[in-house]
Amino acid sequence: MSRDKSFTPEWIDTPPPEKTYRSIFKWGAPDRVKHPSHGFYRAVKESLGLSDDDFARKTSTGEEKISQEIAPAMAAEDLAALAEIVGEKNVSTDTFSRLKFSSGKAMEDLLKLREHVIENIADVVVHPRDREDVKKIVALCHARKIPVNVYGGGSSVTLGLECVRGGVSLAMNTHMNRIIEFNETNQTITVEPGIMGPAYEEALNNAPQKFGTGHRYTGGHFPQSFEHSSVGGWVVTLSAGQSSTYYGDAYHLVISQEYVTPVGSFKTLAYPGTATGPKVNDIMKGSEGCFGVLVAVTMKIFRYFPDNRQPFSYILPDWESAVNAARNICQGEFGLPSILRISDPEETDVAMKMFGISGSVLDRLMIFRGHIPGKRCLLIGQADGEKNFAQQVKKNSKKICKNYNGMYLTSYPMNKWMHGRFSDPYMREDLNDYGIIIDTLESAVTWDNLHHLHQGVRSYIKNHPHTICMTHASHFYRQGTNLYFIFIRRSMPTRDFLTFQRGIIDQIEKHGGSLSHHHGVGKMMAPWMEKHLGKEQMAVLQALKNHFDPNRIMNPGGTLGL
Ligand SMILES: Cc1cc2nc3c(=O)[nH]c(=O)nc-3n(C[C@H](O)[C@H](O)[C@H](O)COP(=O)(O)OP(=O)(O)OC[C@H]3O[C@@H](n4cnc5c(N)ncnc54)[C@H](O)[C@@H]3O)c2cc1C
């Protein structure tokens, strides 16, 4: 059957019915959607060798109710003891709640939920009210050898939330989402870990009204999952936000942390710098719930000047010039832009279609000036901070782009990207509904190895026919950056998808990239950890695990490879 050019698949617009698989795996707010633009739909369809007919009927949508009831495998007296600590209403044992609080947002999680596979779920979900509750729960579980799996915002893409040995899923974002202290003099904020991105940033932006401060502030941390991830989750997974080039990633943003572990509770020192030996504060960042529960964290904050934003966009002739321009921006010592992103040719082509630039006058002008589709690369950026500083950073960045034969595209592509920066993940469900897999893997790399890693991983992915592989770098340092690979393929059985995904991770490892730049390790990257770190460094992590968690109850089953 042939369809006319304006054919659009029937994307799902309605919120998922309650207690369905879809209500667990759907990204973000239940009533919010963002469908692929016509340009993006066409690009996917053509690259994957599909036709409109392939979008006439959906595959499984997960809109079915979870009807199975699976009894918790926990002793009644343990359940009663937990309820005694937090109160009956803060304990749930129904299958839906247990599945919800044992699932993350990895492609594997999503595929299994669509297939109605229920495995690795907690026996009980417990919602602690404060740190005293957490202390009692962890002490009880330590004494009775009950697994404790910590749940922040639920956005893990590395199987960080699967409860492999059952036990408790400790939901941190239900009650433990308060601001504890705002210290304008030291420019810090102390919060409970379950506070979610928007509430955190909103409080900082409106600090004069909320806390009577003299200035407005920002946390400077905006992962793409910002709206649906928690501050505690950011800290323990070493997350990086889209403005990390200037503000730093979660590692740099943390001043001090308070943990409850099976062998005791402690707060790390809150100095801006100390020389008192290796820092326990650093050891705990990225610990992914394997050593203990983060119950409070003090973060650096920054003065907020939204009116001073200086966006810019360039098209560079090829990937090499884009990489060189970005490197020189970072190494120029004139200050760093907060946002900087370079897209390889394939991602640039898709972006041009998504932003509606392909085929426009601007597109023709670019081609006329020698910026050819399939070669040209997009660079977008934004400088923030004090007015003159932001202007200078933009001016110097532009000068460098020009030196690499870049053509200025005004702020349009940057603003377009900014507009969709938190909502693009909503498109994943739409594509999955028609049996198309879209997933990502990312890696840190030094400048001198960037092309080797890019080519190695890309050629592995592209060796699979009808596969889109888009790559960008989005977190910059003077010494290197990250590479973020987005791959889109036709659906396949979960087992085949996992083989393909493992193949990509093998290539990252083989070509000298880090196992993860900002998604963490979870259980997904665990099998590669010892090879990646080496026996000796892995032994240090094991020793820490043995110290903090002798009964191995904290996030058991392989998180961090432990
Ligand atoms: C669409 C999408 C986009 C994303 N974009 C980005 C991005 O731009 N940058 C980025 O860095 N990441 C990104 N991620 C990954 C994810 O959002 C991050 O890893 C985030 O930091 C996880 O935070 P969370 O609150 O959701 O934690 P969760 O997913 O709930 O938990 C993650 C891990 O931390 C542990 N944990 C959580 N809270 C605590 C606590 N209080 N104490 C101890 N352990 C705890 C959990 O046990 C788990 O192992 C993205 C994910 C998705 C789905």
Side-chain angles (χ1 to χ4, degrees), residues 124-138:
V124 57
V125 184
V126 178
H127 304 266
R129 295 162 301 179
D130 52 30
R131 63 157 77 72
E132 295 312 312
D133 276 358
V134 177
K135 282 183 185 169
K136 288 178 195 157
I137 294 164
V138 171

Side-chain angles (χ1 to χ4, degrees), residues 104-124:
K105 294 287 183 275
M107 194 68 229
E108 186 175 339
D109 290 310
L110 275 51
L111 286 171
K112 283 185 179 163
L113 288 168
R114 274 184 194 263
E115 288 165 8
H116 302 184
V117 174
I118 301 183
E119 57 185 22
N120 299 330
I121 65 168
D123 293 304
V124 57

Side-chain angles (χ1 to χ4, degrees), residues 257-276:
Q257 304 160 81
E258 188 176 340
Y259 278 89
V260 171
T261 81
V263 290
S265 304
F266 63 92
K267 185 175 181 306
T268 64
L269 304 177
Y271 299 106
T274 57
T276 44

Side-chain angles (χ1 to χ4, degrees), residues 16-24 62-66 96:
E18 273 177 27
K19 310 239 162 158
T20 56
Y21 293 92
R22 194 176 184 88
S23 70
I24 295 178
E63 289 173 299
E64 309 75 23
K65 281 228 183 315
I66 297 162
F96 173 78

Side-chain angles (χ1 to χ4, degrees), residues 27 105 150-157 160-161 172 193 223-225 228-230 233-234 236-237 239-240 288-289 292-294 425 518-519 555:
W27 175 247
K105 294 287 183 275
V150 194
Y151 186 99
S155 69
S156 168
V157 282
L161 299 166
M172 301 304 289
Q224 192 185 38
S225 55
H228 303 283
S229 56
S230 68
W234 300 344
V236 300
T237 59
S239 151
E288 297 193 19
V293 185
L294 177 66
H518 58 263
H519 283 170
N555 272 3

Side-chain angles (χ1 to χ4, degrees), residues 5 22 31 44 54 62 75 88 92 116 129 171 175 179 196 235 244 251 259 326 348 453 477 480 492 502 508 547 551:
K5 280 202 171 124
R22 194 176 184 88
D31 57 351
V44 170
D54 293 300
E88 287 288 348
S92 348
H116 302 184
R129 295 162 301 179
H175 304 299
I179 292 170
M196 301 295 275
V235 171
S244 73
Y251 177 85
Y259 278 89
T348 298
L453 177 66
Y477 311 84
M492 60 195 102
R502 281 189 198 113
I508 289 177
H547 167 77
N551 290 344

